[in-house]
Amino acid sequence: MGVDRGQSREVPELTELAELEALVRERPGLHVRYSEGFEHDASARSIDTESGLELPGLSVNPLDPEPWWTRPTTDWIARQLCQYKHLRERNPDRMAWVLRGHAVGRGPDSEPLLRDVDPVARLSDALLDEAERRYEERFDAGRGPEGYES
């Protein structure tokens, strides 16, 4: 769904958070997606599981920090990688990959939806583990606005 089918080339695998940060700084507009991979997404439909409606694009998480973000870029990236890591934990066939594409809307959780995507890189388990460690060390992970665990 929306993956550029001409991109059957092998994409690099990033193994360190510093590599991903350098890529994000070099190429603004990148996103992360947890799925069974870009080849799978090229032929699959993206469905909102609660409503059953087909989404007009792939659900992604932005890797560029927002203008109000004053902490290190690496903190933003680690947090973004950890927001949907549960998808990979529930389905080991899912992988984290970096992509760019054209925004066509927002999903039910206000996440960007992209079409005509181009795979840029795969993220290794080591990189995801590093991101999780950073997230847990530098954030009050899971704390909601009322002080409860979400």
Side-chain angles (χ1 to χ4, degrees):
M1 125 95 20
V3 175
D4 184 344
R5 294 173 197 276
Q7 300 295 330
S8 59
R9 62 174 165 59
E10 186 68 22
V11 297
E13 181 177 66
L14 304 181
T15 59
E16 296 180 0
L17 205 48
E19 288 179 290
L20 179 55
E21 180 180 2
L23 184 65
V24 167
R25 287 184 186 278
E26 179 183 305
R27 296 180 64 185
L30 298 178
H31 296 77
V32 65
R33 175 168 169 78
Y34 285 90
S35 73
E36 292 179 26
F38 39 88
E39 303 259 337
H40 175 267
D41 286 344
S43 60
R45 294 181 2 200
S46 195
I47 304 290
D48 171 40
T49 53
E50 289 185 11
S51 68
L53 297 173
E54 185 171 352
L55 299 172
L58 299 176
S59 177
V60 298
N61 233 9
L63 291 174
D64 292 327
E66 289 291 325
W68 54 264
W69 188 259
T70 58
R71 293 174 65 156
T73 298
T74 309
D75 284 354
W76 173 274
I77 292 170
R79 185 174 182 178
Q80 294 300 86
L81 294 179
C82 289
Q83 293 304 305
Y84 289 97
K85 70 183 176 84
H86 64 278
L87 296 174
R88 187 168 163 269
E89 292 167 352
R90 292 180 190 156
N91 180 353
D93 291 334
R94 288 182 183 255
M95 61 181 232
W97 56 288
V98 177
L99 63 155
R100 66 178 329 122
H102 300 287
V104 293
R106 295 251 173 211
D109 295 323
S110 200
E111 74 281 12
L113 300 174
L114 300 184
R115 287 189 66 94
D116 304 321
V117 304
D118 182 26
V120 175
R122 291 184 326 271
L123 304 181
S124 72
D125 289 342
L127 186 152
L128 296 173
D129 291 344
E130 181 185 358
E132 186 170 13
R133 282 191 306 275
R134 185 175 183 108
Y135 181 60
E136 289 173 355
E137 290 168 2
R138 299 183 61 104
F139 290 89
D140 194 1
R143 184 176 173 88
E146 300 298 324
Y148 60 86
E149 297 290 317
S150 55

